[in-house]
Amino acid sequence: MENPLNVALVGYGFVGKVFHAPLIQATPGLTLHTVVSRDAAKVQADWPELTVVSDARTAFADPAVDLVVIASPNDTHAPLALAALERGKHVVVDKPFTLTLQEARDVVAAASRAERLVSVFQNRRWDADFLTVRRLIEEGTLGRIAEFHSHFDRFRPRVQDRWRERDAPGGGLWYDLGPHLLDQALQLFGAPLAISADIARLRDGARAADYFDVTLRYPHHRAVLHASTLVAGNGLRFAVHGTRGSYLKHGLDAQEDQLRAGVVPGAPGWGMDPRAGEVVLERDGQLVTEIARAEAGDYRRYYAGIRDAILHGATPPVTPQQMLDVMRLIELGLQSSAERREIAVG
């Protein structure tokens, strides 16, 4: 393989430490070269050989850096992406891509002028259960889809003092999990006709949205996207209902837990979900429940796609238009919830 691409990671909080750093290091053709963090000791406890700098612009000015990955608070995404592009770097931004659709357009335009790649980290396209859903739909196992329910619920009843839960630009669950669920729906079904959203604060003392229930209206089916921080039971992830049967899946993809536990991406059992889900189909006039054949997930496929796009001109794993489509729905969802009405997507 060619000389590896040197990567500068901006931010070493939960997302940078748990997701990006190990996935970058585990992807052939990429090398984690620099981390931007004000806590050098924290970074070097995990990666003693890395360069650590406190200022992102120092990393952007380094000619050895090829690719910048931005895993800092949401309101810094657009300005940092623009600054990195100005220095001729390729850029990956953790979701959400930006705070507004106009910011997203500005970053995409800057990347085009600089002739550099820009992409957003939509790792959950490579969740095992989402890949299983995609296969079942594409194979026609469930028939014509009538209802698609996608849940990402957790039980976090106590409000924490962290930027994701503050009443500040980019805070709240809609910016945190909304981009994932919207992107998955768009991958399966394309753009909806309209969106209806209920985005709310339900926990005692909540300062940012901690709940959303969103319906995407398509000509012949509905996609319901739901997330809450007050779900201690149930654990539904997907419920997909069609004219031939249903797919039901409980529990989240295993890769996040594996990364939290320090499992090296690609180790034995990586991306395998022990809870494969069930398919309920009609056979000979009877409803029969079967264990679904589960696909294997692998978040490294995102970074392998970034590598191939930079080195070989392949289509990026998440294209600029796909990023803009998600940001458009993020904004329309906020408008729908504020005005308490369905908004046409057009």
Side-chain angles (χ1 to χ4, degrees):
M1 181 171 286
E2 303 93 336
N3 291 332
L5 297 168
N6 287 328
V7 181
L9 172 61
V10 181
Y12 203 70
F14 170 73
V15 171
K17 172 185 171 70
V18 174
F19 283 88
H20 291 283
L23 290 170
I24 291 165
Q25 284 292 66
T27 302
L30 299 181
T31 295
L32 187 57
H33 180 275
T34 302
V35 173
V36 179
S37 173
R38 290 190 294 269
D39 190 347
K42 177 183 176 182
V43 177
Q44 291 177 333
D46 297 331
W47 310 96
E49 74 284 2
L50 292 185
T51 299
V52 182
V53 299
S54 60
D55 181 19
R57 283 159 181 76
T58 301
F60 300 165
D62 186 348
V65 170
D66 304 296
L67 168 65
V68 169
V69 174
I70 298 170
S72 50
N74 295 345
D75 60 350
T76 68
H77 287 184
L80 286 174
L82 290 170
L85 289 165
E86 287 175 2
R87 299 308 299 256
K89 308 304 183 185
H90 302 284
V91 176
V92 164
V93 185
D94 197 79
K95 57 76 200 165
F97 180 46
T98 57
L99 296 188
T100 68
L101 179 59
Q102 186 56 55
E103 282 186 346
R105 288 170 173 156
D106 291 344
V107 174
V108 167
S112 178
R113 290 193 300 270
E115 298 184 341
R116 289 296 182 265
L117 173 145
V118 67
S119 184
V120 67
F121 184 61
Q122 286 289 5
N123 58 303
R124 293 198 176 273
R125 292 188 188 184
W126 293 275
D127 277 355
D129 47 18
F130 176 71
L131 294 173
T132 300
V133 167
R134 187 166 199 163
R135 187 198 75 235
L136 291 170
I137 291 175
E138 291 176 349
E139 291 177 350
T141 301
L142 306 179
R144 180 183 63 78
I145 303 304
E147 298 180 37
F148 172 80
H149 299 262
S150 176
H151 280 238
F152 206 120
D153 299 319
R154 292 168 169 151
F155 187 61
R156 295 177 177 173
R158 288 169 292 280
V159 177
Q160 299 180 35
D161 185 19
R162 56 179 191 150
W163 67 262
R164 293 183 187 276
E165 300 191 44
R166 294 174 187 154
D167 185 12
L173 212 58
W174 182 234
Y175 275 102
D176 186 18
L177 298 179
H180 282 317
L181 301 194
L182 287 168
D183 182 72
Q184 288 183 337
L186 290 173
Q187 285 294 293
L188 293 174
F189 307 117
L193 298 175
I195 182 172
S196 177
D198 180 13
I199 304 169
R201 305 176 185 183
L202 299 185
R203 292 178 298 174
D204 295 335
R207 291 175 288 172
D210 56 12
Y211 164 95
F212 64 78
D213 193 78
V214 174
T215 298
L216 304 179
R217 178 165 62 85
Y218 290 87
H220 303 294
H221 77 277
R222 303 293 181 265
V224 179
L225 315 179
H226 181 96
S228 173
T229 51
L230 284 175
V231 179
N234 184 28
L236 179 69
R237 179 63 184 94
F238 288 111
V240 189
H241 308 296
T243 56
R244 297 182 60 189
S246 297
Y247 171 71
L248 302 172
K249 169 65 167 58
H250 288 77
L252 298 177
D253 176 90
Q255 290 173 88
E256 180 172 339
D257 284 344
Q258 290 177 319
L259 287 166
R260 285 175 180 265
V263 176
V264 176
W270 173 257
M272 301 304 298
D273 194 336
R275 299 160 294 191
E278 298 176 338
V279 176
V280 182
L281 301 172
E282 184 179 20
R283 300 190 189 282
D284 299 324
Q286 301 292 324
L287 290 178
V288 177
T289 300
E290 305 171 349
I291 301 298
R293 175 173 63 84
E295 297 292 320
D298 193 348
Y299 295 160
R300 293 176 302 167
R301 290 170 59 186
Y302 173 82
Y303 271 115
I306 292 295
R307 174 201 65 208
D308 292 345
I310 294 172
L311 293 178
H312 306 299
T315 300
V318 183
T319 67
Q321 187 59 55
Q322 291 167 351
M323 297 185 290
L324 295 176
D325 290 344
V326 169
M327 288 310 305
R328 184 182 185 201
L329 290 179
I330 289 288
E331 283 200 349
L332 291 178
L334 292 171
Q335 179 185 353
S336 170
S337 183
E339 298 178 3
R340 299 193 179 280
R341 66 183 182 94
E342 183 183 78
I343 304 291
V345 174

